[in-house]
Amino acid sequence: MSSLKMSARRSAARVRQLVVFRFNRVNPGRSVLTGTFRARGIVNTGEVVVSQRPAAGSTATPVVRYQIVNAATGLPVTNRLTVTGTRVAVLRFVLPPGNFRLRITNAGAGPVAVSGAVLVF
C-alpha cells in the first residue's frame, strides 16, 4: 500500500535518488509536476522535503496539496496531503516499484512559491 504522511523525525537511510525542484509562482487552483523519479525495490521509502511561502506580492496564507502520481498516466499513487502556512515540511512516503512524479497543487487564495527535494532511499 502506498502512503504519504507528515514526519517528525529525520531519516538515516542512504539516498538512492535526489530530485530538486523550485516553482517561483503557482497560481491558485493550478498544479505543477516535478521531474520523474524511479523507485526500484519491492517496497521503496523516501521523503519529500518542501518549503512553501506566499509568492512575491501575495499576502495570502499558503495552502498547498502534495500527491505522488504515476509518471506515465498521471494517476494518483498516494493519498493527498495538505500543508497550510509558511513552513518547511517533511513528507514520508512508501511506494511500489515504478516511475513517479510529485504533483503540487495550490489550494489557497493567492499565489505560492514552493521549493524542495524528493529523496528516494
Side-chain angles (χ1 to χ4, degrees), residues 5-6 12 57 67 71:
K5 62 183 180 178
M6 295 286 286
Q67 186 172 37

Side-chain angles (χ1 to χ4, degrees), residues 61-121:
T61 300
V63 179
V64 183
R65 292 186 181 127
Y66 300 94
Q67 186 172 37
I68 296 176
V69 298
N70 184 294
T73 64
L75 294 174
V77 179
T78 64
N79 57 310
R80 184 172 56 191
L81 190 66
T82 303
V83 179
T84 303
T86 300
R87 61 186 295 178
V88 174
V90 178
L91 316 173
R92 295 180 57 93
F93 62 81
V94 178
L95 295 172
N99 294 325
F100 304 99
R101 289 177 178 232
L102 178 67
R103 179 187 297 153
I104 301 166
T105 305
N106 182 356
V112 297
V114 180
S115 60
V118 178
L119 298 98
V120 179
F121 302 130

Side-chain angles (χ1 to χ4, degrees), residues 27-67:
N27 290 318
R30 305 296 286 195
S31 293
V32 292
L33 292 168
T34 65
T36 301
F37 60 94
R38 174 178 279 172
R40 296 182 182 188
I42 295 172
V43 176
N44 302 279
T45 60
E47 294 179 348
V48 179
V49 181
V50 293
S51 171
Q52 64 184 42
R53 61 180 175 77
S58 176
T59 58
T61 300
V63 179
V64 183
R65 292 186 181 127
Y66 300 94
Q67 186 172 37

